[in-house]
Amino acid sequence: MVKDTSSDWNPWSLHKHNHVVVKFAVSILLMGLAFRLFFSHSIGFSPVAETLFVEKTGAPEGQEIGYQISQKGKCDIFTGDWIPNPSGPIYTSESCHVIEDHQNCMRNGRPDSGYLYWRWNPRDCELPQFNAERFLELMTNKSWAFVGDSISRNHVQSLLCILSKIEQAVEVYHDEEYKSKKWHFASYNFTLSVIWSPFLIKAVIFEDINGVSTSEIQLHLDELDKKWTDQYQSFDYMVISGGKWFFKTAIYYENNTIMGCHYCHGKNLTELGFEYAYRKALQLVFNFIITSSHKVLIFFRTATPDHFENGEWFSGGTCKRTVPYKEGEIELKDVDTILRNMELEEFEKASAVGSEKEVNLKLLDTTRLSLFRPDGHPGPYRQFHPFAKDKSAEVQNDCLHWCLPGPIDTWNDLVMEMVVNG
Ligand SMILES: *[C@@H]1O[C@H](CO)[C@@H](O)[C@H](O)[C@H]1NC(C)=O
Ligand SMILES: *[C@@H]1O[C@H](CO)[C@@H](O)[C@H](O)[C@H]1NC(C)=O
Ligand SMILES: *[C@@H]1O[C@H](CO)[C@@H](O)[C@H](O)[C@H]1NC(C)=O
Ligand SMILES: *[C@@H]1O[C@H](CO)[C@@H](O)[C@H](O)[C@H]1NC(C)=O
C-alpha cells in the first residue's frame, strides 16, 4: 500500500475483497435498465415542467448571464452536456490558497490543461457562472455547512476558491486531523464549515494515519453522527451527502447490539449488505431533518462516480482521459447506481413528507454530469511531480476526487443557481 498522511482520500477499505462484484450480478441488469430509463426521461428531480422553454441569451462567453432565464419555468439543470468554454475557470491554483495538495493537479505537474475549458450546459436553460459577490451578499449573517466525506471537502475547497476572488476567508477552526474546518468571511459575517462525517451516522473507525484499518468499523444504524447534528441548530444551509464509505467492511449495530455486518468473513455474523446500512442511514438522516423544528435549506448531493480504468484504486487503475465523455459513451458503475437509486428513493419519500412541514430539501444531483468527466481527476498527479525521478514510476492514481480548479466547480454553479432560483 502507498503510505499516505491523508488516510481518508480513498473511501474504500483496504480489504480488497470488499469490492462488490458477485452479489449484484443479477441486479446489475435491472439497475442498468432502470438507470437508462431514469435518465432518458429526466425524472427524479422536482418534476420538470412539461413545457420546457429554450432560450439562450446573446451574452458573450464567460460573461454573466442573467438569472431571469430559469425563473420562467423549472428547468432540469442536471440534464445537459459539457461544452467548450474558452474562458476557463474563474480561479487558478495560484490564486487559491486552500487547495489540498492532493487535488492541486497543476502544481503537481499535470501536463494537460484541456480539462479546464469546459462548462456544463443544461439542455433547456443556461447555467450562469457562479457570482461570488452576489452569493456572499446573500449569505450575510448566514452559516453554511458541508457534511460528508472527502468529496465534501473537495467541494468546499472549490467554493472557497471561487469566493476568494471577492474575499479571503479566515480559518477559525480545525479539528485534530484537519478533516473538519470552519472559515469566516468577515465583511459578510458568513460562516462556512466542512464537517467530516463519512457515514453521517455514528461510526467507530479504526484506521491509522495511513488509512490501514486495524479492525472493522462499527456502524450504529440507529444513531446519527453527533458531529453534525449537535451543530445543526446553527446552520442556515447544508450540503449533505453519503456514499462510498458504506462499501467498507463494517459491523452493524442497532440498539447497541450486533445485528450483522458487511464483508466480515469468519466472524459468524449475518451478512446484511451495504444497502441495508445505507438505506437505514439515509432514512435516519432525512427523518432528523424532517422532524427538526429548525429550518435549514438542505442540498442533498447524490453519489459521486469514480473513473478508474484497467484496474481499481488498489490494482493499478488509472484515469488517463483528457476530454469529457459524450452522452452514451459511459454508464454509471453498478455499485454507484445502487447508491444513487437508493438516494433518489429516500429523497423522494422525505420530500413528500417534508413538503407538508415546509422542509426545504433540494436534490443536488451531480452524479450524471460528473460521470461524463473522467478527465477531471488527479490520477497520478495527486502527488507532487510523480514522474520527476522516474518516467515510468508506478504511482497510485486518484480517479475519484477532483482537480481544483476542475469539473467540481460546476457543482457550485448549480448550488448558486438553486439558491437564487430555488
Ligand atoms: C446582520 O446582522 C447584524 C447584527 O445582528 C445586523 O445589524 C444586520 O442588519 C444584519 N444584516 C443583514 C443583511 O441581515
Ligand atoms: C453575525 O451573524 C450572526 C448570525 O449568524 C449574528 O447572530 C451576529 O449578530 C452577526 N454579527 C454581526 C457582527 O453582524
Ligand atoms: C434495547 O436494548 C435494551 C437493553 O440493552 C432493551 O431493554 C430494549 O428493549 C432494547 N430496545 C429495543 C427497541 O430493542
Ligand atoms: C455461529 O453462530 C450460531 C448462532 O449464533 C451458533 O449456533 C454457531 O455455533 C456459530 N458457529 C461458529 C462456528 O461459531
Side-chain angles (χ1 to χ4, degrees), residues 140-143 184 188-191 234 236:
T140 303
N141 292 348
K142 300 277 194 256
S143 170
H184 194 237
Y188 298 89
N189 187 25
F190 170 47
T191 305
S234 68
D236 299 297

Side-chain angles (χ1 to χ4, degrees), residues 48-53 72-74:
V48 180
E50 287 85 67
T51 47
L52 291 169
F53 53 90
K72 292 181 191 163
K74 273 269 177 257

Side-chain angles (χ1 to χ4, degrees), residues 122-168:
R123 296 266 159 84
D124 301 308
C125 54
E126 285 283 342
L127 178 64
Q129 202 178 51
F130 198 99
N131 182 334
E133 192 167 10
R134 175 123 195 252
F135 182 85
L136 283 169
E137 277 163 10
L138 288 168
M139 291 306 137
T140 303
N141 292 348
K142 300 277 194 256
S143 170
W144 190 305
F146 285 77
V147 181
D149 58 23
S150 55
I151 299 289
S152 294
R153 214 164 53 222
N154 203 177
H155 190 184
V156 86
Q157 283 170 18
S158 160
L159 182 58
L160 282 161
C161 288
I162 292 167
L163 297 178
S164 70
K165 297 285 269 187
I166 301 297
E167 181 165 323
Q168 295 284 349

Side-chain angles (χ1 to χ4, degrees), residues 50-122:
E50 287 85 67
T51 47
L52 291 169
F53 53 90
V54 181
E55 184 185 326
K56 310 272 177 191
T57 65
E61 201 83 66
Q63 289 211 351
E64 201 208 321
I65 294 155
Y67 288 105
Q68 74 278 1
I69 298 160
S70 35
Q71 279 166 3
K72 292 181 191 163
K74 273 269 177 257
C75 160
D76 177 7
I77 55 175
F78 304 110
T79 296
D81 308 279
W82 290 95
I83 62 169
N85 176 32
S87 59
I90 57 177
Y91 66 91
T92 64
S93 58
E94 290 88 33
S95 73
C96 183
H97 308 296
V98 297
I99 304 173
E100 212 161 291
D101 291 346
H102 294 312
Q103 277 111 55
N104 202 335
C105 302
M106 282 299 170
R107 214 203 50 179
N108 290 344
R110 179 167 171 171
D112 62 313
S113 60
Y115 70 98
L116 297 171
Y117 297 91
W118 298 92
R119 70 180 175 90
W120 179 247
N121 188 38

